Amino acid sequence: MVSFLQVISIIFYFYSMKKMSLIAFVALSSVIWAQNAETKEVPGVRYSGDKALLVKNDAAELEAKKKAAAEEKAKLPKPYDPKADAQADINKLIAKAKKEGKNIMIQAGGNWCIWCLRFNQYVQTTPELKNIVDKNYIYYHLNYSPENKNEKIFAQYGNPGDKFGYPVFIVLDKNGKMIHVQPSDVLEEGKGYSLEKVKGFFNQWAPKKL
């Protein structure tokens, strides 16, 4: 027969084993928690599986793009004049357009807008486009910037920048009547503009020859 002391010993043995298992479980959990804490996600860092794989984060990519755009912008000509009296300029352009039988192409935007500067540079350095513009249009860069938003003038044309962003093109006939508003995004191609689309736009709204 099993004595009372033997029963007590058996119970104590199993109790000790259970306690040790509990201690081991707690210790293992602590290690796992510590490992997870070491690999806690950090904003801008993407993780794969249980290993933290640091990749070039979105913030760094955005910063690189901003830097490249700033460098490009610095090199491009700045055709917009915030200090210009735009209404007086346009009145003179209308008089000139009547005399020469041309339409008026208003490129609205500002020197802050890299796509505005890109378009200006593209037209000026692409002979095929420059020839079409010089032959058919009086060209004007209408400024929109914190220094001068030209709100009254934009209001006359329905504030197209609010709808389409910049650059946006306002085409006037020789009498100063608005005949078309052209958003620029449909003319884009990659990081620049499509020759065929821009050429088609200029040709479509050129004055009709009798």
Side-chain angles (χ1 to χ4, degrees):
M1 294 180 63
V2 179
S3 67
F4 177 75
L5 291 176
Q6 287 176 321
V7 171
I8 295 299
S9 298
I10 292 172
I11 292 174
F12 180 76
Y13 172 77
F14 282 108
Y15 174 78
S16 300
M17 292 298 293
K18 184 176 180 181
K19 186 175 181 181
M20 290 177 64
S21 298
L22 180 61
I23 293 172
F25 174 77
V26 171
L28 180 60
S29 298
S30 299
V31 171
I32 293 173
W33 181 88
Q35 290 178 341
N36 288 338
E38 289 177 359
T39 58
K40 185 178 180 181
E41 290 193 10
V42 177
V45 178
R46 289 190 289 270
Y47 294 82
S48 177
D50 58 354
K51 294 182 180 180
L53 300 179
L54 182 61
V55 296
K56 194 172 185 179
N57 58 54
D58 295 338
E61 291 176 2
L62 180 60
E63 191 62 31
K65 289 180 180 178
K66 285 183 178 179
K67 183 178 179 181
E71 291 175 351
E72 179 186 0
K73 190 184 298 184
K75 297 176 182 177
L76 294 172
K78 309 299 187 294
Y80 295 90
D81 182 5
K83 298 179 181 179
D85 184 339
Q87 189 60 69
D89 289 345
I90 292 173
N91 291 341
K92 292 176 182 178
L93 295 181
I94 293 172
K96 185 176 181 181
K98 287 180 179 179
K99 183 178 180 180
E100 299 182 9
K102 296 179 179 180
N103 285 346
I104 299 169
M105 177 67 67
I106 298 176
Q107 180 184 324
N111 295 328
W112 53 268
C113 166
I114 192 168
W115 283 96
C116 302
L117 304 185
R118 282 174 178 168
F119 191 89
N120 174 70
Q121 179 72 353
Y122 185 53
V123 172
Q124 294 301 315
T125 58
T126 306
E128 189 173 359
L129 295 178
K130 193 172 186 307
N131 289 338
I132 296 174
V133 168
D134 291 345
K135 182 179 179 181
N136 297 285
Y137 298 98
I138 306 296
Y139 210 94
Y140 186 69
H141 291 89
L142 176 60
N143 183 78
Y144 178 87
S145 69
E147 306 97 312
N148 187 355
K149 296 182 179 180
N150 282 308
E151 293 175 324
K152 291 183 179 180
I153 297 176
F154 277 102
Q156 294 176 20
Y157 304 126
N159 293 310
D162 293 346
K163 301 174 185 177
F164 305 116
Y166 298 94
V168 63
F169 302 92
I170 305 166
V171 187
L172 311 180
D173 65 14
K174 64 181 181 180
N175 298 310
K177 178 183 177 181
M178 185 175 72
I179 57 176
H180 182 63
V181 172
Q182 176 67 47
S184 61
D185 58 339
V186 297
L187 306 176
E188 295 173 9
E189 186 174 78
K191 293 184 178 181
Y193 291 92
S194 163
L195 175 61
E196 292 306 314
K197 291 178 180 179
V198 175
K199 184 168 65 173
F201 163 55
F202 284 152
N203 283 330
Q204 181 178 1
W205 296 101
K208 306 303 179 185
K209 305 296 182 182
L210 299 179

